[in-house]
Amino acid sequence: MLTIARFAAGTALVALTATAARADEGMWTFDAFPAAKMRAAYGWAPDQAWLDKVRGAAVRLTGGCSASFVSDAGLILTNHHCVATCAEDNSTASNNILKNGFTARAREQELKCAGQQAEVLTAIRDVTPQIKGAIGNATGADAVKARNAAAAKLESDNCTDTAKTRCQVVSLFGGGQYKLYTYRKYSDVRLVWAPEAQAAQFGGDPDNFNFPRYSLDGSFLRAYENGQPVSTPQHLSWNPRAPQDGEATFVVGNPGSTQRLLTLDQLAFQRELSLPITVTTLSELRGRLIAAMAQSPERAREGAETLSGLENSLKVNIGRVKALNDPAFMARLAAAEADLKRLSAANPAIGNPWADITAATNAYRAFYVERNYSQPFSDLYQYAIILVRAASERGKPEADRLPGYSNSVLPLAQKRVLDPRPITPWLDELKLAWSLSKAREYLGADSPQTKLLLGKESPEGLAHRLVSGSRLADPAVRKALWDGGAAAIAASTDPMIVYARSLDANDRALQKRYDAEVDGPLTAARAKIADARFAAFGDSNYPDATFTLRISYGKVQGWNERGVPVPTRTVMGGTFDRATGAEPFDLAPAFAANRARINKNTVYDFVTTNDIIGGNSGSPVIDKAGTVIGAAFDGNIHSLGGNYGYDPALNRTVVASTAALDEALRTIYPAPALLAELRKK
Amino acid sequence: MLTIARFAAGTALVALTATAARADEGMWTFDAFPAAKMRAAYGWAPDQAWLDKVRGAAVRLTGGCSASFVSDAGLILTNHHCVATCAEDNSTASNNILKNGFTARAREQELKCAGQQAEVLTAIRDVTPQIKGAIGNATGADAVKARNAAAAKLESDNCTDTAKTRCQVVSLFGGGQYKLYTYRKYSDVRLVWAPEAQAAQFGGDPDNFNFPRYSLDGSFLRAYENGQPVSTPQHLSWNPRAPQDGEATFVVGNPGSTQRLLTLDQLAFQRELSLPITVTTLSELRGRLIAAMAQSPERAREGAETLSGLENSLKVNIGRVKALNDPAFMARLAAAEADLKRLSAANPAIGNPWADITAATNAYRAFYVERNYSQPFSDLYQYAIILVRAASERGKPEADRLPGYSNSVLPLAQKRVLDPRPITPWLDELKLAWSLSKAREYLGADSPQTKLLLGKESPEGLAHRLVSGSRLADPAVRKALWDGGAAAIAASTDPMIVYARSLDANDRALQKRYDAEVDGPLTAARAKIADARFAAFGDSNYPDATFTLRISYGKVQGWNERGVPVPTRTVMGGTFDRATGAEPFDLAPAFAANRARINKNTVYDFVTTNDIIGGNSGSPVIDKAGTVIGAAFDGNIHSLGGNYGYDPALNRTVVASTAALDEALRTIYPAPALLAELRKK
């Protein structure tokens, strides 16, 4: 599944893209769609009206997914796995809607999704001169501060109505360009329809990132404002038809992050240092969760979504390790870097930014583990640290605040803290104990930071004391602390607040060191490499993904797996052949019950050559006519290396077809009103 | 801790050692001690009488440790962690001797250790001509078969009294030499004394492989024969004195396996393929165990030893990953390989064995995952597959049997299967479900081998059915199947036997493929590299470790950790400073109770430059006078890279002093009779 990884440890160094994009490669911004290139390959390309139309219907979900409006009444198509947390939050021991599925019989039954916000991109404006001008000749931490302050001011000045709009300065090409993105935002998003999780996740972790696939990974949400569904005349038309082999497809969504053409030293940093820690520690968390969930059906329910997201992140990171350990793949990246260096050698203005990146990366090696483990992993802790910091940052001039607390970001941070959602104490305690234990393991028992984190307590003992003693699970308590500001935070004796206060200074110091030794030098070096890239390749390339709106073109096409062709599609009847009766290959109950009625020949899932990555989950798959024929929900196993580079022969997008969703709405999880709304012209 | 890793996944490719050994480097065989080299460095070296004496007192424990006789009545000194499984096996819910410690007040209270056997090396004979002659011009699987058959025959012919002797043909220098090792064996080993686990494991996993250290990692066993303690006049003298900085020390024991100077392609195989799988999957098992043990104190007790061994293995493998990702370390290994190639270039008899190894390693990449997951991980399954195979193999001529079922090995296999020891069903089910789940993950849900392993069941469902349905936990059931042979196995409906029967053929086929494509070619190529090595360096080197008796010389010496000197020793009083009250830094109860009486200045643990590795746990640390001044129990964190190469500046052995053990026997866990036995001259 292609959500933003919620479990990524540490902060990835930002990367650049060099060399011209290959066939069907590219996550293009809407202000730089390569129409000529597509026309040359496909004999057709969308015009500006087409692009404007789909842009206006495309939705970013702040939970880490993509989506699209598919009716004029704010109806949103996305993936099931993008609404699973919402379904879990709205489940109870007596009504497990994640497991049983959900159909709102009337609008007033639609269920609020905590922390979720829908955003539609309305404008893109170049602000490169303003940001670069603000940085001027500053270096290190000063450059970072100047950049962040200038961005925050642009955002504040251009989106004064923070209830309905959001501004975001996006750094593209690693600092080669800065663009101001303006969004219409909808901060009340509700669940309309979801199938049984077993239908959406059929095959579970074993089938995730694999194909052929039999997954009904689609769901519907609705955007509300002032308690009413919003009007969305600019929506995509629902087209429940079968995809045709070879037909052109567009994926419009928000790829979260790619790291294509990191310098080789940055790749070595990941391969040698950060990825082994990430994979090793997440694997242990996975084991802890699996065993804890095996204790009771209630725990199995409460942990399901966390485990699913974790296993997804783990597979992504294991795929990255594999890619970085593939000599042929690495040789291609090395050749591209050598190529760009060669092309830039005659240009004295470029200098040797690669050496600067080497130095910054090596500097980071010295404190990566400290920064990675400066704060523990826990929902309650997350509330606490945001409350502590918001109280302190809100009182400062915007230019002096931490990046996450500028005026443009605060409303979403506030919403995330204050929205009611259930906290599961055993689960939060498990995560907290795990992360504290791994901190001690990697920092060492004698490190000052371990002593700061643990004092004389054990990871398990501390986690239990904090989670059982904190009252932050109560939204009213959080609201009182938010509203009370610095005085309330200073006076609080809530153990999680006390703990967050105790860790704050060390984390800020590490961030400052990171700004000075890593981010500052990288910002300067990356801008130079971007210049080298523009000089060598002009505008024939696309920036690395930034969880902002992109469009990818491609086509319906399979691939060859060790010489064996993989088909482009599955049909719904295949589910019954694949089912073993044992989870995760057990049939969803509604599939079993409606077996005779389901049209077995309905196209279920299909693959395309579109170039996407985590964050694209839920993206509409659009045909030339501009109608939606599916929701992208996954990549194939080869696409995991897509973080570093796209291979047109192997990388594929996996799509849940609108045909299958339509069939489900008719015969498996009947929702006549929803069907009527989708079909309304 | 330095036991043989019980959790290593897959089979490591055998390696070679090239370039001359560096200062204090080397795990020397007793027939090739480098006396001249040591004399040059230390002004002294042991003579043959000295060597013969310590060899006769050195003990190999088949559980994966080393030890030594320290009285004339079969008393054996080893580590606590080498007897922990025995202590756990002899524990009950009402008397947890692993936790509480154990002192036999009289000989009849000494407790049998299931599966454990003590072995003393009595002779070494060169059989290289016989084995190489038997291989002749055979290649591939034929060469492997000829080699194994010749070795089995030599073992059978030379140790006809299998009750008291054991013969073993050892392949040294990767097939450059073959030696016949003869042992006096003692198959009845009993626990005499053990401290509280918390005293031995103080600091737990965080302190494991670290120093300064505060660990009482010593225990005593006794060898029996015919129900009586054996007479062992050739024993080491107990010398509970403090070590002196810089004094010469010898470690005599059985290093399990090193892989120094693998070819670079073999290292790449580990770094890219096998180690990531091992570390990732073991981390998940660790998490599953931790969470399962958190459910109840009983489970915490039952899982403790498994978890401890697992965390140890994991740390070892993480250390290997780090070493292979260290550019400076790798550059040194690459230079050594280039050096040997250069020195061999003029010798046409050598040819290019490196290329042959590349080919064999690449061949293995194609089925490593299959071979790694051809059999699941479970104690009951282990019983089942040995019973199934022994029944089939015993009926064949020795030359046609699988290597583990020759006449010389069968008695130990039989002992391991028939010795009574408790099986913990939840724990075995957990391990089995984990390994089946990882098999599916790495093989893929659609692989024929996954279907063979799982059928239509889930890993959890199958594990539960097999463990809950099997009666193999009952030693009488195992004995009936062993005695009943092929007919009993064929007639058995025990689900674990049925399952083992179903997996046997596929595993044999994979072994045959491994022999043909990997082991055979490697055997030939390794012998050539060994020839190159002898030609270039003469006998100035030592063979890679093979869990056979070796001697290492070195001295009491600390090291510099990032510029800060690490002291050579700790004292017992330091324990009280380091204790936090929270596990694993909580004081052992007897330490707390006897705090006033303990002599705080007693040397506790110390470090030496001796070159050791897993399997050396429990090895006596011997001074020039031939007396024992400690038991080696660990290496420092740098020693984990010692698998691939020894760094004299950083690699250290960690030793529990006899002084501390003596103090413990007097004031903490009083054992006057044992003290008297140790002090008897």
Side-chain angles (χ1 to χ4, degrees), chain B residues 105-176:
Chain B
R105 297 291 159 204
R107 300 245 161 121
E108 46 283 14
Q109 289 181 4
E110 296 176 356
L111 298 167
K112 281 198 181 185
C113 294
Q116 191 70 279
Q117 179 165 295
E119 299 174 340
V120 177
L121 177 63
T122 53
I124 301 176
R125 179 154 69 88
D126 189 15
V127 293
T128 309
Q130 290 93 318
I131 301 286
K132 286 198 169 176
I135 296 175
N137 293 320
T139 60
D142 293 338
V144 172
K145 193 179 174 190
R147 180 194 68 195
N148 293 349
K153 182 159 168 37
L154 278 165
E155 291 168 355
S156 283
D157 291 351
N158 286 279
C159 283
T160 48
D161 179 2
T162 57
K164 292 193 172 180
T165 63
R166 176 180 175 189
C167 277
Q168 183 182 23
V169 171
V170 181
S171 167
L172 299 172
F173 298 101

Side-chain angles (χ1 to χ4, degrees), chain A residues 523-543:
Chain A
T523 297
R526 277 156 17 200
K528 278 195 187 167
I529 293 191
D531 290 344
R533 213 186 136 279
F534 291 132
F537 305 110
D539 61 357
S540 69
N541 268 279
Y542 56 93

Side-chain angles (χ1 to χ4, degrees), chain A residues 492-580:
Chain A
S492 174
T493 58
D494 187 283
M496 201 64 91
I497 294 286
V498 172
Y499 188 58
R501 285 197 317 245
S502 77
L503 301 186
D504 189 28
N506 179 63
D507 184 71
R508 285 173 185 260
L510 284 166
Q511 182 62 37
K512 206 161 180 177
R513 183 173 175 193
Y514 181 80
D515 290 348
E517 299 180 22
V518 187
D519 193 2
L522 282 184
T523 297
R526 277 156 17 200
K528 278 195 187 167
I529 293 191
D531 290 344
R533 213 186 136 279
F534 291 132
F537 305 110
D539 61 357
S540 69
N541 268 279
Y542 56 93
D544 254 314
T546 46
F547 198 45
T548 51
L549 195 66
R550 304 293 177 91
I551 176 167
S552 150
Y553 66 86
K555 57 180 163 297
V556 177
Q557 191 177 67
W559 77 97
N560 279 303
E561 187 68 43
R562 301 188 196 185
V564 180
V566 177
T568 55
R569 71 192 64 196
T570 57
V571 293
M572 293 185 86
T575 312
F576 301 99
D577 303 327
R578 190 161 181 78
T580 63

